[in-house]
Each structure stands twice: as C-alpha cells, then as structure tokens.
Amino acid sequence: MRYFTLLFLFLFSLSALAQDNPVGQKVSGTIVNDNNLLPIPNANVININKVKGVVTNASGYFEMEVSVSDTLHISILGYQSLRIRVTNDWLKNGTAKILMTEKAIALEEVIVKKYDLTGYLEVDSKLIPEKENYRYSISGLPTAYEAGESSPNAFTRVLGSIFNPADMLYNFFGNKPKELKKLKQMKKDDTVRTLLESKFDREMISVLLGVDKKEIAEILQRCNYSESFIQSANDLQILDAISECYEQYKVLTKKHEKYIKE
C-alpha cells in the first residue's frame, strides 16, 4: 500500500509538471499578400510568449514551435503588422494561410539641411553642430548613466529619477517582472536580435514588453538618456538601454531599502 501511494504521488507530480510546462508543438503557415495572394518572403514571425522567431522563406512559408494560446507577431516593412493567437484548431490542422495588408504610405517632403564645408578640418568641425551626452559613474554599478547634458543638476536628476518611490520607473519595473525577464531572452534568439538591430520604430519592443511606444521614450528619459540617443538608436540599442536601466534600478533600489532599514 505504501509503494502504491508513492507511485500515485509521483504520477500526480508528473501530471502537474506537464500542465505547468506544456509540451511544445509545431505549427506552420504561408504568409501572402491579401490583394494578389502572392507569397511574402522575409516576413518576421515572433512568438511573443517564447521570445523566439523565424523568417518566411521565398514561398512565404514558416514553421515554428508553439504552445496553445501563444501569440505570434508577424511584421514586415510595408505591411500592417498582425498578432495571431495559436488555437487548438491550428495545432490540429498544422498549417494556415495568413493574409497581410499593404500599408498606404504617403511620403512627406523632407528638407535636408545643407552644410557649406570648406575642406579644412579645423573650420568644418566648427560648422557642424555637436551634441554632447555626458555619463556619470555611480559607485557600485558596472556602467554609467547618461545624463544628456553637462548641467549642474544633471547628476542629481540621475539619482532622483531612481530613488523617487512614486517615479514612473518604480511603477513600470515593479509591475512588469515577467515582461522584463524577456529582455535577456530577446538577445538570445538570432531572428529577434537581427530584427531589432534593423528596426527603429520600437514596435517589437512595445509588443514584447507590453507597453505603449510613448512609454518607451518616457522610460529612457527617466533613465536620463539623451534625446539624441532616444531618437537615433535602433531597437536593439534601445533594448540594451532599458535592460541596463533596469539592472541599475534593481541595484540602487536594494541599496536604498537597506539604507532605510539601517
């Protein structure tokens, strides 16, 4: 009877473990243009839950490992992005045809500012505006903070933005522990990393972290990254900046809590 009870508990534990970690299955699909039904190659398909991605081949075909209720984010330049949930029917059928709609893009007039260069380095270096972004080292942290300007209160703002318990950083980082764990996962997958490196629209970061695009800029501002960096960095650099800010926030928050207790 004793051995029977142990066997029952063992099987029950395995059953519970299987429910917590469902076995991954594979689905496939073909992505086509909804207007002419031509296949769309090089479309990015990202599993938001597993933070893994694939790229469609020349026939618009992809295949990836999923679980029920995973959400796939499909994107490619010139098309409206899609978010599709993996259903039991899709898993049962194994494949699906996915239609994407082209964006109607109207190009705006762009004015390129002209610099009259002389060919002399000493003169030309003064003609082109230079933005200086300063970073301040903080004891106990491996890297420094970018304050964005050389002002007397820049360093104070760096610490103030972190230690203020009502600050946006506290609210954001404190409420999204699961999403922030994805920061490290994002860079491990080649497809996701390559996609982020080539994009500047913050769309994928917004989807993976579950935040609005405007919040990303606000978070970086609170982390005291300069406006020029926020505007010009690619999505991979933005991801690194948020990750760095989060790690620094954790270190300083722990030190602050320890100081209060003492």
Side-chain angles (χ1 to χ4, degrees), residues 26-55:
K26 283 190 175 182
V27 294
S28 62
T30 302
I31 302 177
V32 300
N33 185 308
D34 69 344
N35 184 39
N36 52 30
L37 299 182
L38 292 175
I40 301 176
N42 300 316
N44 296 284
V45 184
I46 307 296
N47 186 325
I48 297 174
N49 301 80
K50 292 182 171 57
V51 199
K52 292 185 177 181
V54 295
V55 177

Short mmCIF file of all heavy atoms in Angstrom, two decimals, residues 26-55:
data_model
loop_
_atom_site.label_atom_id
_atom_site.label_comp_id
_atom_site.label_asym_id
_atom_site.label_seq_id
_atom_site.Cartn_x
_atom_site.Cartn_y
_atom_site.Cartn_z
N LYS A 26 4.45 22.06 -33.09
CA LYS A 26 4.82 22.90 -34.23
C LYS A 26 3.61 23.25 -35.07
O LYS A 26 2.72 22.43 -35.27
CB LYS A 26 5.87 22.20 -35.09
CG LYS A 26 7.27 22.23 -34.50
CD LYS A 26 8.30 21.75 -35.49
CE LYS A 26 9.71 21.88 -34.93
NZ LYS A 26 10.74 21.46 -35.90
N VAL A 27 3.58 24.50 -35.52
CA VAL A 27 2.58 24.92 -36.50
C VAL A 27 3.33 25.52 -37.68
O VAL A 27 4.49 25.93 -37.57
CB VAL A 27 1.60 25.97 -35.93
CG1 VAL A 27 0.75 25.39 -34.84
CG2 VAL A 27 2.35 27.21 -35.45
N SER A 28 2.69 25.56 -38.80
CA SER A 28 3.28 26.15 -39.99
C SER A 28 2.25 27.04 -40.66
O SER A 28 1.06 26.98 -40.35
CB SER A 28 3.75 25.07 -40.97
OG SER A 28 2.66 24.28 -41.40
N GLY A 29 2.72 27.88 -41.54
CA GLY A 29 1.80 28.76 -42.25
C GLY A 29 2.46 29.36 -43.47
O GLY A 29 3.69 29.34 -43.61
N THR A 30 1.65 29.90 -44.34
CA THR A 30 2.13 30.61 -45.52
C THR A 30 1.57 32.01 -45.49
O THR A 30 0.34 32.20 -45.40
CB THR A 30 1.70 29.90 -46.81
OG1 THR A 30 2.19 28.56 -46.80
CG2 THR A 30 2.25 30.62 -48.03
N ILE A 31 2.43 33.01 -45.53
CA ILE A 31 2.00 34.41 -45.48
C ILE A 31 1.95 34.96 -46.89
O ILE A 31 2.92 34.88 -47.65
CB ILE A 31 2.96 35.23 -44.61
CG1 ILE A 31 3.02 34.64 -43.20
CG2 ILE A 31 2.55 36.69 -44.57
CD1 ILE A 31 4.00 35.33 -42.28
N VAL A 32 0.78 35.52 -47.25
CA VAL A 32 0.58 36.03 -48.60
C VAL A 32 -0.01 37.43 -48.57
O VAL A 32 -0.58 37.86 -47.56
CB VAL A 32 -0.36 35.10 -49.42
CG1 VAL A 32 0.23 33.71 -49.54
CG2 VAL A 32 -1.74 35.04 -48.78
N ASN A 33 0.12 38.13 -49.68
CA ASN A 33 -0.47 39.45 -49.87
C ASN A 33 -1.98 39.27 -50.07
O ASN A 33 -2.41 38.49 -50.92
CB ASN A 33 0.15 40.12 -51.10
CG ASN A 33 -0.32 41.54 -51.30
OD1 ASN A 33 -1.52 41.82 -51.32
ND2 ASN A 33 0.63 42.45 -51.48
N ASP A 34 -2.79 39.99 -49.27
CA ASP A 34 -4.24 39.79 -49.36
C ASP A 34 -4.85 40.32 -50.65
O ASP A 34 -5.99 40.00 -50.99
CB ASP A 34 -4.95 40.42 -48.15
CG ASP A 34 -4.89 41.94 -48.17
OD1 ASP A 34 -4.06 42.50 -48.94
OD2 ASP A 34 -5.66 42.58 -47.44
N ASN A 35 -4.09 41.11 -51.40
CA ASN A 35 -4.61 41.68 -52.64
C ASN A 35 -4.40 40.76 -53.84
O ASN A 35 -5.32 40.50 -54.62
CB ASN A 35 -3.95 43.04 -52.89
CG ASN A 35 -4.52 43.73 -54.10
OD1 ASN A 35 -5.72 43.69 -54.36
ND2 ASN A 35 -3.66 44.40 -54.88
N ASN A 36 -3.17 40.24 -53.96
CA ASN A 36 -2.86 39.41 -55.13
C ASN A 36 -2.52 37.96 -54.77
O ASN A 36 -2.20 37.16 -55.66
CB ASN A 36 -1.71 40.03 -55.92
CG ASN A 36 -0.50 40.33 -55.05
OD1 ASN A 36 -0.26 39.65 -54.06
ND2 ASN A 36 0.25 41.37 -55.40
N LEU A 37 -2.53 37.66 -53.46
CA LEU A 37 -2.25 36.30 -52.95
C LEU A 37 -0.84 35.80 -53.27
O LEU A 37 -0.58 34.60 -53.22
CB LEU A 37 -3.29 35.30 -53.48
CG LEU A 37 -4.75 35.58 -53.09
CD1 LEU A 37 -5.66 34.49 -53.64
CD2 LEU A 37 -4.88 35.67 -51.58
N LEU A 38 0.06 36.73 -53.58
CA LEU A 38 1.45 36.34 -53.79
C LEU A 38 2.14 36.14 -52.45
O LEU A 38 1.86 36.85 -51.47
CB LEU A 38 2.18 37.43 -54.59
CG LEU A 38 1.75 37.60 -56.05
CD1 LEU A 38 2.48 38.79 -56.68
CD2 LEU A 38 2.02 36.32 -56.85
N PRO A 39 3.06 35.18 -52.35
CA PRO A 39 3.74 34.92 -51.08
C PRO A 39 4.62 36.10 -50.67
O PRO A 39 5.15 36.84 -51.51
CB PRO A 39 4.59 33.68 -51.39
CG PRO A 39 4.78 33.69 -52.87
CD PRO A 39 3.50 34.27 -53.43
N ILE A 40 4.78 36.26 -49.37
CA ILE A 40 5.60 37.35 -48.83
C ILE A 40 6.83 36.75 -48.16
O ILE A 40 6.74 36.17 -47.07
CB ILE A 40 4.81 38.18 -47.80
CG1 ILE A 40 3.55 38.77 -48.45
CG2 ILE A 40 5.68 39.30 -47.22
CD1 ILE A 40 2.66 39.54 -47.50
N PRO A 41 7.99 36.82 -48.80
CA PRO A 41 9.21 36.29 -48.20
C PRO A 41 9.80 37.27 -47.18
O PRO A 41 9.48 38.46 -47.18
CB PRO A 41 10.14 36.14 -49.41
CG PRO A 41 9.68 37.20 -50.36
CD PRO A 41 8.19 37.33 -50.17
N ASN A 42 10.66 36.75 -46.31
CA ASN A 42 11.39 37.55 -45.33
C ASN A 42 10.51 38.27 -44.31
O ASN A 42 10.92 39.28 -43.73
CB ASN A 42 12.29 38.58 -46.03
CG ASN A 42 13.30 37.93 -46.95
OD1 ASN A 42 13.92 36.94 -46.59
ND2 ASN A 42 13.45 38.47 -48.16
N ALA A 43 9.29 37.77 -44.11
CA ALA A 43 8.44 38.32 -43.05
C ALA A 43 8.91 37.75 -41.72
O ALA A 43 9.30 36.58 -41.62
CB ALA A 43 6.98 37.97 -43.30
N ASN A 44 8.88 38.57 -40.68
CA ASN A 44 9.33 38.14 -39.36
C ASN A 44 8.16 37.62 -38.54
O ASN A 44 7.14 38.31 -38.37
CB ASN A 44 9.98 39.31 -38.61
CG ASN A 44 11.22 39.82 -39.30
OD1 ASN A 44 12.28 39.20 -39.22
ND2 ASN A 44 11.10 40.94 -39.99
N VAL A 45 8.29 36.39 -38.04
CA VAL A 45 7.26 35.77 -37.20
C VAL A 45 7.87 35.55 -35.82
O VAL A 45 8.78 34.74 -35.67
CB VAL A 45 6.76 34.44 -37.79
CG1 VAL A 45 5.62 33.88 -36.96
CG2 VAL A 45 6.32 34.62 -39.25
N ILE A 46 7.38 36.28 -34.82
CA ILE A 46 7.93 36.21 -33.47
C ILE A 46 6.90 35.63 -32.51
O ILE A 46 5.76 36.11 -32.45
CB ILE A 46 8.35 37.61 -32.96
CG1 ILE A 46 9.27 38.30 -33.97
CG2 ILE A 46 9.01 37.49 -31.60
CD1 ILE A 46 10.58 37.63 -34.19
N ASN A 47 7.29 34.59 -31.80
CA ASN A 47 6.45 34.05 -30.73
C ASN A 47 6.67 34.91 -29.49
O ASN A 47 7.73 34.85 -28.86
CB ASN A 47 6.82 32.59 -30.45
CG ASN A 47 5.87 31.93 -29.46
OD1 ASN A 47 5.38 32.56 -28.53
ND2 ASN A 47 5.63 30.64 -29.66
N ILE A 48 5.69 35.75 -29.16
CA ILE A 48 5.84 36.69 -28.05
C ILE A 48 6.04 35.98 -26.73
O ILE A 48 6.82 36.43 -25.88
CB ILE A 48 4.61 37.62 -27.98
CG1 ILE A 48 4.51 38.47 -29.26
CG2 ILE A 48 4.68 38.53 -26.76
CD1 ILE A 48 3.25 39.31 -29.33
N ASN A 49 5.37 34.87 -26.52
CA ASN A 49 5.45 34.15 -25.25
C ASN A 49 6.80 33.48 -25.05
O ASN A 49 7.35 33.50 -23.95
CB ASN A 49 4.35 33.09 -25.17
CG ASN A 49 2.96 33.69 -25.29
OD1 ASN A 49 2.50 33.98 -26.39
ND2 ASN A 49 2.30 33.91 -24.17
N LYS A 50 7.35 32.89 -26.11
CA LYS A 50 8.63 32.18 -26.01
C LYS A 50 9.81 33.05 -26.43
O LYS A 50 10.96 32.65 -26.31
CB LYS A 50 8.59 30.91 -26.86
CG LYS A 50 7.63 29.85 -26.32
CD LYS A 50 7.67 28.60 -27.18
CE LYS A 50 6.90 27.45 -26.53
NZ LYS A 50 5.52 27.77 -26.23
N VAL A 51 9.52 34.25 -26.97
CA VAL A 51 10.55 35.18 -27.44
C VAL A 51 11.50 34.49 -28.41
O VAL A 51 12.71 34.53 -28.26
CB VAL A 51 11.33 35.81 -26.26
CG1 VAL A 51 12.03 37.07 -26.72
CG2 VAL A 51 10.42 36.13 -25.10
N LYS A 52 10.92 33.82 -29.38
CA LYS A 52 11.70 33.19 -30.44
C LYS A 52 11.06 33.55 -31.78
O LYS A 52 9.86 33.83 -31.85
CB LYS A 52 11.72 31.67 -30.26
CG LYS A 52 12.51 31.21 -29.05
CD LYS A 52 12.60 29.70 -28.98
CE LYS A 52 13.45 29.26 -27.79
NZ LYS A 52 13.56 27.79 -27.71
N GLY A 53 11.87 33.56 -32.82
CA GLY A 53 11.33 33.97 -34.11
C GLY A 53 11.90 33.20 -35.28
O GLY A 53 12.93 32.53 -35.17
N VAL A 54 11.20 33.30 -36.39
CA VAL A 54 11.64 32.73 -37.66
C VAL A 54 11.33 33.74 -38.76
O VAL A 54 10.60 34.71 -38.56
CB VAL A 54 10.93 31.38 -37.97
CG1 VAL A 54 11.29 30.33 -36.95
CG2 VAL A 54 9.41 31.58 -38.03
N VAL A 55 11.88 33.48 -39.95
CA VAL A 55 11.65 34.33 -41.11
C VAL A 55 11.07 33.47 -42.22
O VAL A 55 11.53 32.34 -42.44
CB VAL A 55 12.97 35.01 -41.57
CG1 VAL A 55 12.73 35.84 -42.83
CG2 VAL A 55 13.53 35.87 -40.46
#
